[in-house]
Amino acid sequence: METYVKRPGMLRVNAVGDIINKEFFLHNGTITLYDRNENVYADMRVPPGIEAALDKARNDYGLRVSLTELANPHLWELISGKIENALCVGMSKVRGVSCYHLAFDGPMAEFQVWIDAGKKPLPLKVVFVQKKVEGEPQWRAYLNNWKTSHHLSDALFKFTRPDGVRKIKFVPRRQPAA
Protein backbone atom coordinates (compact mmCIF):
# COMPACT_ATOMS: atom_id res chain seq x y z
CA MET A 1 0.00 0.00 0.00
CA GLU A 2 1.26 3.47 -0.88
CA THR A 3 -0.06 6.56 0.85
CA TYR A 4 0.52 10.17 -0.17
CA VAL A 5 -0.54 13.14 1.96
CA LYS A 6 -0.50 16.82 1.02
CA ARG A 7 -2.04 19.10 3.57
CA PRO A 8 -4.49 20.58 4.00
CA GLY A 9 -6.84 18.59 1.77
CA MET A 10 -5.23 15.99 -0.47
CA LEU A 11 -4.74 12.27 0.10
CA ARG A 12 -4.12 9.27 -2.11
CA VAL A 13 -3.89 5.61 -1.18
CA ASN A 14 -3.00 2.84 -3.64
CA ALA A 15 -3.86 -0.60 -2.26
CA VAL A 16 -2.63 -3.47 -4.40
CA GLY A 17 -2.57 -7.11 -3.34
CA ASP A 18 -3.79 -10.61 -4.12
CA ILE A 19 -7.42 -9.69 -3.55
CA ILE A 20 -7.63 -5.90 -3.39
CA ASN A 21 -6.70 -3.49 -6.16
CA LYS A 22 -8.17 -0.08 -5.31
CA GLU A 23 -7.14 3.54 -5.44
CA PHE A 24 -8.49 6.21 -3.11
CA PHE A 25 -8.29 9.90 -4.03
CA LEU A 26 -9.15 13.01 -2.04
CA HIS A 27 -8.77 16.16 -4.11
CA ASN A 28 -10.46 19.56 -3.71
CA GLY A 29 -13.41 18.30 -1.65
CA THR A 30 -14.07 15.17 -3.70
CA ILE A 31 -13.40 11.59 -2.65
CA THR A 32 -13.09 9.04 -5.43
CA LEU A 33 -12.70 5.30 -4.90
CA TYR A 34 -11.58 3.33 -7.95
CA ASP A 35 -11.78 -0.48 -7.97
CA ARG A 36 -9.51 -1.80 -10.71
CA ASN A 37 -10.70 -5.42 -10.31
CA GLU A 38 -14.36 -4.47 -10.86
CA ASN A 39 -13.53 -1.64 -13.30
CA VAL A 40 -15.81 0.82 -11.44
CA TYR A 41 -15.47 4.06 -9.49
CA ALA A 42 -17.63 6.18 -7.23
CA ASP A 43 -17.20 9.72 -6.01
CA MET A 44 -18.72 12.01 -3.39
CA ARG A 45 -18.44 15.61 -2.31
CA VAL A 46 -16.93 16.07 1.14
CA PRO A 47 -15.89 18.97 3.37
CA PRO A 48 -12.44 20.46 2.83
CA GLY A 49 -9.58 19.06 4.88
CA ILE A 50 -8.42 15.47 5.17
CA GLU A 51 -9.87 14.69 8.60
CA ALA A 52 -13.29 16.26 7.91
CA ALA A 53 -13.51 14.46 4.55
CA LEU A 54 -12.59 11.08 6.06
CA ASP A 55 -15.06 11.61 8.92
CA LYS A 56 -17.89 12.23 6.45
CA ALA A 57 -16.95 9.18 4.35
CA ARG A 58 -16.84 6.98 7.46
CA ASN A 59 -19.98 8.35 9.13
CA ASP A 60 -22.23 8.61 6.06
CA TYR A 61 -20.98 5.66 3.98
CA GLY A 62 -18.98 3.39 6.29
CA LEU A 63 -15.87 4.01 4.18
CA ARG A 64 -12.64 3.57 6.15
CA VAL A 65 -9.22 4.04 4.63
CA SER A 66 -6.53 1.93 6.30
CA LEU A 67 -3.71 3.62 8.18
CA THR A 68 -4.81 7.17 7.36
CA GLU A 69 -5.19 7.86 11.09
CA LEU A 70 -1.39 7.78 11.30
CA ALA A 71 -1.25 10.94 9.19
CA ASN A 72 -3.63 12.82 11.48
CA PRO A 73 -1.76 15.72 13.12
CA HIS A 74 -4.05 15.31 16.16
CA LEU A 75 -3.57 11.55 16.54
CA TRP A 76 -2.39 11.74 20.14
CA GLU A 77 -5.40 13.84 21.19
CA LEU A 78 -7.72 11.33 19.49
CA ILE A 79 -6.33 8.22 21.17
CA SER A 80 -4.91 9.38 24.49
CA GLY A 81 -8.29 9.47 26.24
CA LYS A 82 -8.89 5.85 25.23
CA ILE A 83 -5.63 4.54 26.69
CA GLU A 84 -5.75 2.78 30.03
CA ASN A 85 -2.18 1.48 30.07
CA ALA A 86 0.98 2.53 28.26
CA LEU A 87 4.39 0.90 28.31
CA CYS A 88 7.77 1.63 26.82
CA VAL A 89 8.70 -1.97 26.04
CA GLY A 90 12.27 -0.95 25.24
CA MET A 91 14.57 -0.95 22.26
CA SER A 92 14.13 -3.46 19.46
CA LYS A 93 14.85 -3.68 15.76
CA VAL A 94 12.49 -3.48 12.83
CA ARG A 95 14.14 -4.74 9.66
CA GLY A 96 17.55 -3.91 11.12
CA VAL A 97 16.66 -0.40 12.35
CA SER A 98 16.86 0.39 16.09
CA CYS A 99 13.45 1.46 17.36
CA TYR A 100 11.61 2.46 20.50
CA HIS A 101 8.87 -0.13 21.03
CA LEU A 102 5.75 1.38 22.66
CA ALA A 103 2.57 -0.48 23.67
CA PHE A 104 -0.86 0.96 24.52
CA ASP A 105 -3.93 -0.78 25.84
CA GLY A 106 -7.51 0.41 26.10
CA PRO A 107 -10.96 -1.13 26.51
CA MET A 108 -11.52 -1.55 22.76
CA ALA A 109 -8.05 -2.07 21.33
CA GLU A 110 -4.38 -2.78 21.85
CA PHE A 111 -1.89 -0.80 19.80
CA GLN A 112 1.87 -1.16 19.44
CA VAL A 113 4.20 1.11 17.53
CA TRP A 114 7.91 0.96 16.76
CA ILE A 115 9.48 4.42 16.29
CA ASP A 116 12.82 4.87 14.52
CA ALA A 117 15.39 5.80 17.17
CA GLY A 118 17.52 7.66 14.62
CA LYS A 119 17.41 11.24 13.33
CA LYS A 120 13.84 10.94 11.97
CA PRO A 121 11.55 9.53 14.68
CA LEU A 122 8.93 8.08 12.34
CA PRO A 123 6.85 4.94 12.87
CA LEU A 124 8.29 1.88 11.14
CA LYS A 125 5.82 -0.76 12.33
CA VAL A 126 2.37 -0.81 13.91
CA VAL A 127 0.26 -3.64 15.29
CA PHE A 128 -3.40 -3.14 16.13
CA VAL A 129 -5.68 -5.66 17.89
CA GLN A 130 -9.43 -5.07 18.11
CA LYS A 131 -10.89 -6.23 21.41
CA LYS A 132 -14.50 -7.24 21.98
CA VAL A 133 -14.76 -8.37 18.37
CA GLU A 134 -15.07 -12.07 17.67
CA GLY A 135 -11.61 -13.54 17.13
CA GLU A 136 -9.93 -10.27 18.18
CA PRO A 137 -8.68 -9.46 14.67
CA GLN A 138 -5.15 -8.15 14.37
CA TRP A 139 -3.44 -6.25 11.62
CA ARG A 140 0.17 -5.29 11.20
CA ALA A 141 1.87 -2.84 8.89
CA TYR A 142 5.48 -2.06 8.13
CA LEU A 143 5.99 1.56 7.15
CA ASN A 144 8.95 2.54 5.04
CA ASN A 145 10.25 4.88 2.39
CA TRP A 146 9.04 7.98 4.27
CA LYS A 147 9.56 11.17 2.28
CA THR A 148 8.65 14.05 4.54
CA SER A 149 9.88 16.96 2.43
CA HIS A 150 9.17 15.61 -1.05
CA HIS A 151 7.11 17.91 -3.33
CA LEU A 152 3.95 16.18 -4.53
CA SER A 153 2.12 17.42 -7.60
CA ASP A 154 -1.58 18.19 -7.17
CA ALA A 155 -2.19 15.96 -10.22
CA LEU A 156 -1.14 12.91 -8.16
CA PHE A 157 -4.30 13.34 -6.07
CA LYS A 158 -6.74 13.81 -8.95
CA PHE A 159 -8.60 10.80 -10.33
CA THR A 160 -8.47 10.53 -14.10
CA ARG A 161 -11.10 8.12 -15.34
CA PRO A 162 -9.65 5.41 -17.59
CA ASP A 163 -11.58 4.46 -20.72
CA GLY A 164 -14.29 1.86 -20.16
CA VAL A 165 -14.59 2.41 -16.41
CA ARG A 166 -18.17 2.50 -15.14
CA LYS A 167 -19.38 5.02 -12.57
CA ILE A 168 -21.42 3.71 -9.64
CA LYS A 169 -22.78 5.37 -6.48
CA PHE A 170 -21.74 5.08 -2.87
CA VAL A 171 -24.52 3.56 -0.78
CA PRO A 172 -25.27 5.54 2.41
CA ARG A 173 -25.11 3.70 5.72
CA ARG A 174 -28.41 2.72 7.21
CA GLN A 175 -29.31 4.91 10.14
CA PRO A 176 -30.58 3.06 13.23
CA ALA A 177 -34.33 3.30 13.78
CA ALA A 178 -35.30 5.89 16.37
Side-chain angles (χ1 to χ4, degrees):
M1 190 158 55
E2 297 174 312
T3 302
Y4 304 90
V5 178
K6 186 173 183 179
R7 294 212 167 268
M10 290 190 257
L11 175 68
R12 178 170 178 175
V13 178
N14 300 329
V16 179
D18 295 335
I19 298 171
I20 215 164
N21 191 2
K22 296 181 181 176
E23 294 177 31
F24 173 92
F25 301 84
L26 170 58
H27 182 266
N28 288 339
T30 299
I31 284 178
T32 305
L33 184 60
Y34 171 43
D35 186 328
R36 288 182 174 273
N37 291 345
E38 299 297 325
N39 206 31
V40 296
Y41 78 98
D43 57 16
M44 72 176 90
R45 293 295 299 161
V46 292
I50 294 170
E51 286 69 39
L54 292 174
D55 284 348
K56 178 165 180 61
R58 182 180 55 252
N59 294 335
D60 293 0
Y61 297 94
L63 177 63
R64 295 186 64 95
V65 184
S66 297
L67 298 176
T68 55
E69 291 90 353
L70 292 176
N72 189 321
H74 307 289
L75 179 62
W76 181 249
E77 289 87 3
L78 292 172
I79 66 170
S80 62
K82 300 173 185 172
I83 295 173
E84 294 176 339
N85 301 295
L87 173 67
C88 179
V89 178
M91 297 298 293
S92 65
K93 292 198 177 201
V94 173
R95 298 187 169 167
V97 177
S98 291
C99 293
Y100 301 104
H101 179 185
L102 308 172
F104 305 93
D105 182 46
M108 301 303 289
E110 295 173 6
F111 178 73
Q112 295 181 67
V113 62
W114 287 258
I115 307 289
D116 187 332
K119 292 179 182 178
K120 289 188 176 181
L122 295 165
L124 297 184
K125 178 181 174 183
V126 294
V127 174
F128 180 81
V129 179
Q130 271 188 285
K131 294 176 167 183
K132 300 184 180 179
V133 174
E134 185 176 341
E136 293 197 351
Q138 178 185 115
W139 59 261
R140 164 184 335 206
Y142 292 91
L143 310 165
N144 58 31
N145 207 17
W146 287 89
K147 294 182 176 96
T148 57
S149 60
H150 188 72
H151 175 74
L152 299 173
S153 163
D154 289 1
L156 175 69
F157 301 92
K158 185 170 177 21
F159 175 68
T160 303
R161 191 179 127 225
D163 290 338
V165 173
R166 186 170 49 98
K167 184 174 183 175
I168 61 174
K169 292 184 178 187
F170 282 106
V171 176
R173 290 176 93 171
R174 284 184 166 182
Q175 299 301 323

